[in-house]
Amino acid sequence: MRAGDRLVIAAVRRSGPWPAVLAGTAIVGAAAELAIPYLIGRTVDATVDAFVTRQPAGTPWLALCAGAVAAVMLCESLGVWARGASGAHAAATLRSGVLRHVLGSGSAATRRFPEGELVTRAGLNAEEVGRAPETVTSALALLVPTAGALVALTLIAPVLTLTLGAGIVVILLVLRAFLRTTTTIAGGYQEVQGELAARLVEALGGARTIAAAGTAERESRRVLAPLPRLRAHGMALWRANASATVRSGVVVPLLEVAVLAVGGLLLAAGDLTIGELYAAARYAVLGASLSTALGHIGGLARARAAAGRVAEVLDLPPVRYGTRTLPPGPGTLEFRDVTANGLAVGDLTLPGGRVTAVVGRSGSGKSLLAALAGRLADPERGTVLLDGVPLPELAEPELRRAIGYAFERPVLVGETIGEAIKPEPAPVREGADAGRGLITTAADCGLSTTAADRGLVTTAAGAACADPFIRRLPLGYATPLADAPMSGGERQRIGLARAFAQGERLLVLDDATSSLDTVTERQVAQALTTDRLGRTRLIAAHRLATAARADQVVWLDDGTVRACGPHHVLWQDPAYRTLFQGAAS
């Protein structure tokens, strides 16, 4: 739990001014609560003296009591408001940090955790960690009246302090055991929650298949299978809380009785007044109020357990980028002694400005090779270079500007169709800064790129055969994505257009034309093979026609590069021909 504890401390430190507000209200409120027994005791003594002497009391003690009660009520009201604000601020800050880290870790996050697990850890668990400032501050605030009660009893009669102190030690031992037990149980509960979320997200992703197969009941049972374990952890939490409540509940009245008994003996001996005995009884209650920290300790335990789960996500290594830019070049891609996740690429060169098709049976490593080419994955050994520069040494804007990537099932980002195609502002080197490698954007230089952006988007959409159906939409390229229902093939064309618009030197297509009809696929292939910008193109493909149109073919077999050469040469190998048996041409 050390990483989780550090995250809890960081959440408290980075939750803005609210912990200070909570601490202030807690201290002032505790001071007012400590003053109330003393003020009531003085009021009682003054009233008794006035009754004995038959003279008006004439003391301000009653007014001071009312003022102290008002201060307690005001501090409690401010504390409720500050607790909500601190939790919201801490959770939002942590959730944003986790989201940026997950996206910055690339595919490593989804390889390590199922998608539902990531959502649970970045959402529900981050919110539970966000409550740490409230629970920590509230629990520590209870030490103020406890310490004040001990000091006050010492001033009244030191023997009363010893009596209260013995009871407080017992209460602290109960709280410590409760924190340890609850942290462990809460961790198990949250783990099952994450498993449920992962199964549900997986089932939702295959909802159409489940409906078509008529397996809804069986899938529901699979998704809900962890519920008994969730119930077991929930019951364990309840039993731990009940056990700690009973133990502290027994200690508190015994402690109060002990203080009253000792105080009664002192009163009988004439060492205490009636008012002091009342104050001592009230201070015993305040000192034992530490037992009410069970709720706060339970919240802290859940925050610690959740922080441990969030810390596992934050421990994922982010993708590191360099600072170099690309020299002029044709987009030559080189693999030098590359090995990654069971795929042995070895030495392989993709000539600049040419089309390379990657073929192989399912599971042979086509998508992994494409990911290595676009640096969506890093090799375990070896280096991938673009125009002589290792990809890890490139600055992120330079890398993403140079390489365009299209997937089989693209996720469209942005508010409109046009934004989904338009790449991020391209970094450009201006004037003398170019020699020093300083990068700015055209917008930073005061240049308007609106017309250029429109031309880039429409040209890319035309190459991807997306322009005709986009223009038929009510608002064309300004149509919101939410209002533009698209088929799988249309979404693929938008994804292709995004790649065409972004990649200036290399286009990587990972089965990105699988949902296109034959006519559209041939039109897109024609645009790829006659690319007027002369970009290097790497296509992970299944279709015979795609391989036939490529300048060279990389044939993957059982995790290795079995052969590399023109399609008509590889076609002489019967094993190569079997890759395309039954495939559409």
Side-chain angles (χ1 to χ4, degrees), residues 376-414:
L376 296 183
D378 286 326
E380 298 167 357
R381 188 183 69 187
T383 308
V384 183
L385 304 94
L386 181 61
D387 284 329
V389 180
L391 295 185
E393 296 182 10
L394 289 174
E396 183 179 10
E398 184 80 354
L399 178 68
R400 297 308 168 206
R401 177 172 66 104
I403 302 175
Y405 215 119
F407 301 91
E408 178 184 4
R409 291 184 294 271
V411 175
L412 306 183
V413 296

Side-chain angles (χ1 to χ4, degrees), residues 53-114:
T53 60
R54 298 183 181 279
Q55 295 180 357
T59 61
W61 299 116
L62 187 59
L64 292 175
C65 283
V69 170
V72 171
M73 294 175 62
L74 178 61
C75 288
E76 287 183 352
S77 300
L78 290 175
V80 170
W81 176 71
R83 282 193 290 272
S86 66
H89 187 279
T93 302
L94 180 59
R95 190 178 290 115
S96 299
V98 172
L99 179 60
R100 287 194 296 269
H101 189 81
V102 168
L103 296 179
S105 299
S107 58
T110 52
R111 287 198 303 267
R112 175 69 172 82
F113 302 103

Side-chain angles (χ1 to χ4, degrees), residues 3-377:
D5 290 339
R6 287 195 296 269
L7 188 58
V8 168
I9 295 172
V12 175
R13 294 173 57 188
R14 298 173 184 173
S15 56
W18 307 116
V21 175
L22 279 171
T25 56
I27 292 173
V28 174
E33 287 183 347
L34 287 170
I36 288 175
Y38 170 78
L39 295 174
I40 292 178
R42 294 302 302 267
T43 301
V44 171
D45 287 340
T47 302
V48 172
D49 290 342
F51 178 78
V52 172
T53 60
R54 298 183 181 279
Q55 295 180 357
T59 61
W61 299 116
L62 187 59
L64 292 175
C65 283
V69 170
V72 171
M73 294 175 62
L74 178 61
C75 288
E76 287 183 352
S77 300
L78 290 175
V80 170
W81 176 71
R83 282 193 290 272
S86 66
H89 187 279
T93 302
L94 180 59
R95 190 178 290 115
S96 299
V98 172
L99 179 60
R100 287 194 296 269
H101 189 81
V102 168
L103 296 179
S105 299
S107 58
T110 52
R111 287 198 303 267
R112 175 69 172 82
F113 302 103
E115 293 177 357
E117 267 281 355
L118 286 173
V119 172
T120 301
R121 295 183 188 225
L124 180 61
N125 294 155
E127 183 178 353
E128 290 175 319
V129 179
R131 298 194 185 104
E134 170 193 347
T135 57
V136 171
T137 306
S138 299
L140 292 177
L142 290 175
L143 295 175
V144 177
T146 299
L150 290 172
V151 172
L153 286 178
T154 302
L155 296 176
I156 294 174
V159 67
L160 297 177
T161 306
L162 296 176
T163 305
L164 179 61
I168 290 174
V169 169
V170 175
I171 293 174
L172 287 175
L173 291 175
V174 171
L175 293 177
R176 180 170 176 267
F178 178 68
L179 176 62
R180 287 185 172 182
T181 303
T182 306
T183 299
T184 302
I185 300 173
Y189 189 91
Q190 292 163 358
E191 182 180 350
V192 179
Q193 280 183 318
E195 183 179 346
L196 276 167
R199 294 186 179 208
L200 178 58
V201 169
E202 181 182 349
L204 291 175
R208 290 190 300 175
T209 302
I210 294 169
T215 58
E217 286 297 328
R218 186 173 66 188
E219 189 64 15
S220 297
R221 289 193 297 270
R222 186 190 70 85
V223 171
L224 300 178
L227 277 181
R229 288 190 287 123
L230 188 71
R231 179 183 181 276
H233 287 298
M235 292 298 294
L237 282 172
W238 181 86
R239 285 192 292 268
N241 187 74
S243 176
T245 301
V246 169
R247 281 181 286 176
S248 61
V250 171
V251 171
V252 171
L254 290 177
L255 178 60
E256 294 176 3
V257 170
V259 172
L260 283 174
V262 175
L265 293 175
L266 294 176
L267 177 65
D271 295 330
L272 285 183
T273 66
I274 296 177
E276 289 174 335
L277 178 61
Y278 173 81
R282 292 299 302 161
Y283 283 128
V285 174
L286 285 176
S289 65
L290 194 61
S291 63
T292 62
L294 280 176
H296 303 308
I297 296 298
L300 178 59
R302 291 190 296 273
R304 291 180 70 216
R309 289 169 54 79
V310 174
E312 289 179 355
V313 177
L314 295 177
D315 285 341
L316 291 171
V319 178
R320 302 293 183 184
Y321 296 94
T323 58
R324 295 184 61 180
T325 58
L326 286 169
T332 300
L333 189 69
E334 299 175 75
F335 295 82
R336 294 182 182 174
D337 193 26
V338 169
T339 300
N341 296 329
L343 175 63
V345 181
D347 294 330
L348 177 67
T349 299
L350 276 59
R354 301 296 181 88
V355 180
T356 298
V358 182
V359 301
R361 298 188 184 279
S362 179
S364 60
K366 297 186 298 296
S367 293
L368 179 55
L369 182 65
L372 293 170
R375 216 209 157 194
L376 296 183

